[in-house]
Structures are given as structure tokens and as C-alpha cells.
Amino acid sequence: MVRRNPERRAALLDAAIDVLANEGARGLTFRAVDQQAGVPVGTASNYFASRDEILKHAGERVYERLVDDAVIADGLTGSRDRARVTELMHELVERVAAFPTGFLALLELRLEATRRPELRAVLTRRIRADVDFNVAYHEKSGLPGDGTMVVLLWLALNWLIMERLTLPDLFTDEQRRDLVTALVDRLLAGQPALPPG
């Protein structure tokens, strides 16, 4: 029988994210999730029918935890210029890097998806939705740049965050900030620094 307590289910998925980040996909077992969540042995198996199901839902849970409605609303305020895009990208890098287990768990899930077509389909759908949301959000915002710029930023910043979390001594904080600023400046080259009017 599958249990339906949404708070307990979320806590188990949060524990699965921690296990993925700390132990890798091979370390993700029902017992490891139970132990990480601090619940009795057998709890995770009451909520998830299989390990594959935990893997699929853990990816969704990472995105649930990253979405912040206040941050999304804040992105639609302020100036509509290149400096605002730069500021938002710096904030994005900091917000994602502040949830390192989520990002590292997603890396583990992506690697696991190379061997599991069903997980690949779930992640592809979820990440495609994230990219599409970001492009539409940017277009709605009135900020400079187009959908291609958003995708290029998404690709580059994901790799920069990965470097920060996996090889933190590769670049200094100042170098990372400079790289984000340079990335926005180069992608928006030729566009006015300030909005018209």
C-alpha cells in the first residue's frame, strides 16, 4: 500500500536528494533514504514502489525547492537594462549554489538517466519545461536579449555552478562574478546598455 502523507513524502524525497548528492546514485537505497530522513526502516518503501520511482520524483523535488515565487516576482521589477540582467544572473547563480545537494543530485540523476530511458524521459520533460519557462519569463520581463540568449546563459551558468560545487578552488568568488558579468556583456553586445527612452 502506497502512503499519501505529502509532508512525509516530501521529507523522504529531500532525504533522497541528500543521499544522491553525498553517496551517488548507487548509494540510493530505501534503507539509505529511511536513515537520512530519520524514519523507521521500511518507510520509504511504503511511499515509493521502487528505487526508479524515487529517482524520478527526486528530480521533480529539486525543482520544487528551487522555485521561489518571490524571486520570480522580483525579477519583473526594477530597470529593464543589461545591468539588471547581470544582477539577476548573479542572484541565480547564488540561489542555485545555495542548494548544493539539489544541484549535485541532479548531476547524479542525469548520469543515471544515461542508463535508464524512463528516467531520461522524465528529466528531459522536466528540464525542457524549466528552459521553456525561463525563455517565456525573460520575454515577458522586457529585459534585453532573446530566447537564444536565455538558453546560452542557462547552459553556461549550469556549468559554472557545477565547477563551483565540484571544484570550488578552480576559480575564486571574484573570478566567478567576473565571468558571469562578462558572459552577460558578451551575449548582449550590440544591445543598448539602457532601455530606449
Side-chain angles (χ1 to χ4, degrees), residues 6-82:
E7 292 81 20
R8 174 61 60 91
R9 188 174 191 280
L12 290 167
L13 288 173
D14 289 342
I17 289 166
D18 290 342
V19 171
L20 283 166
N22 295 321
E23 305 296 328
R26 293 207 182 269
L28 184 71
T29 63
F30 284 120
R31 184 176 292 273
V33 171
D34 289 338
Q35 184 175 11
Q36 182 68 37
V39 297
V41 172
T43 302
S45 63
N46 286 329
Y47 280 81
F48 303 98
S50 66
R51 183 176 175 276
D52 284 347
E53 189 176 341
I54 295 175
L55 287 167
K56 289 188 300 187
H57 291 289
E60 288 285 344
R61 179 67 178 153
V62 169
Y63 280 95
E64 287 173 15
R65 289 183 56 187
L66 281 173
V67 171
D68 184 332
D69 291 335
V71 170
I72 292 170
D74 184 53
L76 296 175
T77 64
S79 62
R80 308 281 96 199
D81 56 14
R82 189 182 312 167

Side-chain angles (χ1 to χ4, degrees), residues 26-172:
R26 293 207 182 269
L28 184 71
T29 63
F30 284 120
R31 184 176 292 273
V33 171
D34 289 338
Q35 184 175 11
Q36 182 68 37
V39 297
V41 172
T43 302
S45 63
N46 286 329
Y47 280 81
F48 303 98
S50 66
R51 183 176 175 276
D52 284 347
E53 189 176 341
I54 295 175
L55 287 167
K56 289 188 300 187
H57 291 289
E60 288 285 344
R61 179 67 178 153
V62 169
Y63 280 95
E64 287 173 15
R65 289 183 56 187
L66 281 173
V67 171
D68 184 332
D69 291 335
V71 170
I72 292 170
D74 184 53
L76 296 175
T77 64
S79 62
R80 308 281 96 199
D81 56 14
R82 189 182 312 167
R84 181 66 174 142
V85 175
T86 303
E87 178 184 350
L88 290 171
M89 293 307 101
H90 284 295
E91 289 173 4
L92 174 68
V93 168
E94 292 305 315
R95 185 165 42 94
V96 174
F99 181 29
T101 55
F103 192 88
L104 294 172
L106 276 177
L107 290 177
E108 285 292 331
L109 288 168
R110 285 172 177 242
L111 290 172
E112 194 67 16
T114 64
R115 297 175 287 276
R116 297 175 182 272
E118 190 175 315
L119 179 59
R120 183 181 314 124
V122 168
L123 288 179
T124 300
R125 185 173 52 252
R126 182 62 189 94
I127 292 170
R128 167 57 52 203
D130 181 54
V131 171
D132 290 346
F133 171 83
N134 281 290
V135 168
Y137 176 83
H138 187 84
E139 290 171 352
K140 177 182 174 184
S141 75
L143 289 162
D146 60 11
T148 299
M149 181 211 66
V150 172
V151 173
L152 290 170
L153 281 169
W154 183 84
L155 290 167
L157 294 179
N158 269 306
W159 197 266
L160 183 67
I161 293 165
M162 186 189 76
E163 295 292 355
R164 177 177 172 173
L165 296 177
T166 61
L167 300 172
D169 299 327
L170 186 62
F171 300 113
T172 65

